[in-house]
Amino acid sequence: MIDPDQIQSGQDLAEQLSALYGEGGWSMHRLAEASGLSPATIQKMINGPGVPQARTLEAFVAACKQPAAPWLRARDRAVKNRGSAKPSVADLQEQLADARAQIRRAKAALHLNGGTPEQILKSHARQRLEQFAAQDPLIDPQNGHLYLVVHPATGAEDALVDLFTQRPEYQLDPIIRSIVRDRGHAEFSPDLDRGVWERRSTGCALVNGVDRETGAIREERFLETSVHEDGSVTLLCGAGSISTVSGWRHVSDVINEAPQYRVVSPWLVLGLTYGALALAGTLADTHASYQGDWLVGLRVTGLSGGAWAYEVVKRGDQDVVPPYNGSHYERIAVCETSDLLTPAALTEKLAGSLIRGLSIHSLVLPYPRTDT
């Protein structure tokens, strides 16, 4: 009987994989083609007793239509029970065979798609950002919106499914509070640690700025942070850019209505970006055991006609500081899980150009700052 929960050793794992191979009626070459692994690697996996790499095991069981999570936990037990022995020659040969298979797949991708692997991944990230922004529930927005997508490039579809079998907020709330606390710095609203959890078809979302009785959305307070079963995190904020009056009034404003200026809060952009990156990385590391590539996209809209940093307008300096002159802002990045676990550098990579374009970089960069 195939049951990864019974696996305790490398030999147990090999026997279960062998049973999975036999049950599927595979040939060595058909499974190699379906999984992207080499036939030699598959042969070693079903013969044992070595423990395959996590990504190798994930590719094998995915081709067999098995959820990855229980098999990766089984692998962790086998590794732990094996102790701290150095990799065997067979292990190193397996890693070499996998590396060669990955090179072949990368070359094939270059030939079919035209471009470097990073360019191809960035194209996929941009597509996901476009799809996410198109699902914005606010049909006639008055503000500019902030969209952020953090998606595992090769993760399993059920990477976080175990998280959602109970009450996910019991585990997610402490993680988010810890991220906000460690991030520190200027307060802004809306922020990640406010809202009500709602179940979604692909996970759950922490929603703020929606009237619980009428369902009406208060755009300036709207923030939806979604955690998906595939390990991705998406964020939509209704206050990417807003309109406000200057903190200083001209003499003519005493008679006439004070003009409105479009402003962006740099602390909000940096803080939400940092928090969403850290949330995705923490869940990948502690729940999904995913250490692969990530597709990340950030977009801020509503900048047409010029926009200033909130602090500039409140000081009354909008007449001497040039506005940001783009209609919207967008950055795409490819990173690894380690970049999400310590997200300061990636946060600046994504949002730094916008902050510099708003002429507010000396106040808020590098981020996070220790002097605010």
Side-chain angles (χ1 to χ4, degrees), residues 122-136 147-149 234 296-299 301 328-332:
K122 284 187 173 181
S123 176
H124 293 165
R126 186 168 286 106
Q127 290 174 10
R128 289 193 173 275
L129 184 61
E130 291 280 356
Q131 292 168 359
F132 177 59
Q135 298 169 5
D136 192 331
Y147 307 94
L148 182 66
V149 173
T234 55
V296 184
L298 169 69
R299 177 184 294 178
T301 63
H328 71 281
Y329 176 85
E330 181 175 298
R331 283 295 181 275
I332 302 295

Side-chain angles (χ1 to χ4, degrees), residues 278-298:
L279 176 59
T282 301
L283 293 175
D285 189 56
T286 60
H287 290 273
S289 300
Y290 177 74
Q291 300 298 323
D293 291 328
W294 289 80
L295 315 176
V296 184
L298 169 69

Side-chain angles (χ1 to χ4, degrees), residues 33 101 146 197 260 293 308 320 341:
E33 183 178 350
L146 183 152
W197 285 102
Q260 296 276 325
D293 291 328
W308 288 264
V320 295
L341 291 170

Side-chain angles (χ1 to χ4, degrees), residues 41-55:
T41 294
I42 294 173
Q43 184 72 44
K44 291 184 177 70
M45 292 176 72
I46 62 179
N47 287 341
V51 179
Q53 298 296 306
R55 183 176 294 184

Side-chain angles (χ1 to χ4, degrees), residues 313-334:
V313 171
K314 283 305 176 184
R315 291 198 308 259
D317 290 340
Q318 66 275 2
D319 292 334
V320 295
V321 175
Y324 186 84
N325 60 0
S327 62
H328 71 281
Y329 176 85
E330 181 175 298
R331 283 295 181 275
I332 302 295
V334 175

Side-chain angles (χ1 to χ4, degrees), residues 56-351:
T56 303
L57 177 61
E58 191 172 344
F60 185 107
V61 299
C64 296
K65 308 301 182 184
Q66 289 278 313
W71 291 93
L72 292 175
R73 289 195 299 268
R75 178 190 178 277
D76 291 342
R77 289 195 299 273
V79 170
K80 182 178 180 181
N81 292 335
R82 183 178 63 180
S84 57
K86 294 182 178 180
S88 66
V89 173
D91 289 337
L92 295 175
Q93 289 175 336
E94 175 195 330
Q95 293 177 29
L96 178 60
D98 288 343
R100 287 171 174 167
Q102 290 172 14
I103 290 172
R104 287 194 298 272
R105 293 197 298 273
K107 288 181 176 179
L110 290 175
H111 177 72
L112 292 173
N113 297 287
T116 66
E118 183 174 5
Q119 288 172 336
I120 295 169
L121 290 174
K122 284 187 173 181
S123 176
H124 293 165
R126 186 168 286 106
Q127 290 174 10
R128 289 193 173 275
L129 184 61
E130 291 280 356
Q131 292 168 359
F132 177 59
Q135 298 169 5
D136 192 331
L138 293 170
I139 299 175
D140 186 23
Q142 302 302 305
N143 298 337
H145 292 177
L146 183 152
Y147 307 94
L148 182 66
V149 173
V150 191
H151 184 83
T154 57
E157 292 183 358
D158 60 351
L160 296 180
V161 69
D162 290 346
L163 182 68
F164 298 103
T165 57
Q166 304 294 328
R167 297 283 298 275
E169 60 267 31
Y170 290 163
Q171 299 185 64
L172 293 172
D173 278 339
I175 294 174
I176 292 174
R177 286 196 296 268
S178 176
I179 290 170
V180 171
R181 182 181 64 249
D182 293 345
R183 182 196 65 199
H185 311 293
E187 293 185 0
F188 56 85
S189 180
D191 202 352
L192 292 167
D193 57 349
R194 296 288 185 272
V196 177
W197 285 102
E198 297 180 359
R199 194 69 171 91
R200 295 286 192 268
S201 59
T202 61
C204 64
L206 183 59
V207 182
N208 186 36
V210 178
D211 188 286
R212 309 311 302 173
E213 295 182 359
T214 66
I217 296 176
R218 186 174 179 184
E219 186 178 10
E220 193 167 323
R221 294 186 176 275
F222 182 73
L223 178 64
E224 182 173 288
T225 307
S226 301
V227 178
H228 304 268
E229 289 185 353
D230 63 4
S232 60
V233 172
T234 55
L235 183 147
L236 167 58
C237 177
S241 66
I242 62 173
S243 295
T244 190
V245 298
S246 174
W248 293 83
R249 290 195 172 190
H250 296 284
V251 174
S252 61
D253 293 339
V254 177
I255 301 174
N256 303 317
E257 183 178 354
Q260 296 276 325
Y261 298 94
R262 179 68 67 170
V263 299
V264 175
S265 168
W267 295 115
L268 179 142
V269 173
L270 290 166
L272 292 182
T273 301
Y274 181 101
L277 296 175
L279 176 59
T282 301
L283 293 175
D285 189 56
T286 60
H287 290 273
S289 300
Y290 177 74
Q291 300 298 323
D293 291 328
W294 289 80
L295 315 176
V296 184
L298 169 69
R299 177 184 294 178
V300 180
T301 63
L303 307 179
S304 298
W308 288 264
Y310 176 81
E311 289 77 4
V312 169
V313 171
K314 283 305 176 184
R315 291 198 308 259
D317 290 340
Q318 66 275 2
D319 292 334
V320 295
V321 175
Y324 186 84
N325 60 0
S327 62
H328 71 281
Y329 176 85
E330 181 175 298
R331 283 295 181 275
I332 302 295
V334 175
C335 68
E336 299 178 350
T337 301
S338 58
D339 299 314
L340 302 180
L341 291 170
T342 53
L346 183 56
T347 299
E348 281 200 37
K349 182 177 181 179
L350 289 166

